Amino acid sequence: MADSKTKTETAMEGTREWYNELVSVKLFKDSGKYRDDVFVAVNGKGWQIRRGVEGQVPRYVALVLQQSLEQDAATAELMDRQSAEFRAESNSRGL
């Protein structure tokens, strides 16, 4: 009997291939907070990514980096909002 795959199995393989494709990444580097390498771990496998140097990583690693940047931005926005609310409340109470 021939080895036949279901449509779902075939689709999953295509997705797996897409996530595993190598893509270029280059992380921002400065002389302050963003000078150290970045370590990314996914399912027990790790990558150390040098800042300021273009490198190749699997797409799923690049997506983890992208999600991390988005979360950092959302956290900064929340902190700004909460700080503004605190200042406004403090001022309204004359503190």
Side-chain angles (χ1 to χ4, degrees):
M1 179 181 243
D3 183 27
S4 62
K5 297 179 181 177
T6 66
K7 287 182 182 179
T8 303
E9 289 170 329
T10 303
M12 288 297 290
E13 282 183 4
T15 301
R16 190 175 307 125
E17 289 171 6
W18 184 81
Y19 279 108
N20 284 307
E21 275 182 350
L22 292 179
V23 295
S24 294
V25 294
K26 184 175 180 181
L27 302 179
F28 174 76
K29 181 176 183 170
D30 67 8
S31 59
K33 180 179 176 183
Y34 300 99
R35 69 174 178 259
D36 295 328
D37 295 347
V38 174
F39 181 77
V40 177
V42 178
N43 293 332
K45 190 170 181 182
W47 293 263
Q48 187 164 344
I49 302 165
R50 292 180 56 201
R51 287 189 175 275
V53 176
E54 189 168 324
Q56 298 280 309
V57 295
R59 186 182 311 275
Y60 66 90
V61 174
L63 291 171
V64 168
L65 290 167
Q66 178 182 344
Q67 290 168 357
S68 177
L69 287 173
E70 291 169 1
Q71 187 61 51
D72 286 349
T75 299
E77 184 179 319
L78 175 63
M79 289 173 64
D80 288 346
R81 227 177 21 250
Q82 293 294 313
S83 294
E85 287 176 18
F86 179 78
R87 276 192 302 278
E89 182 68 23
S90 296
N91 290 340
S92 72
R93 294 177 186 239
L95 301 174

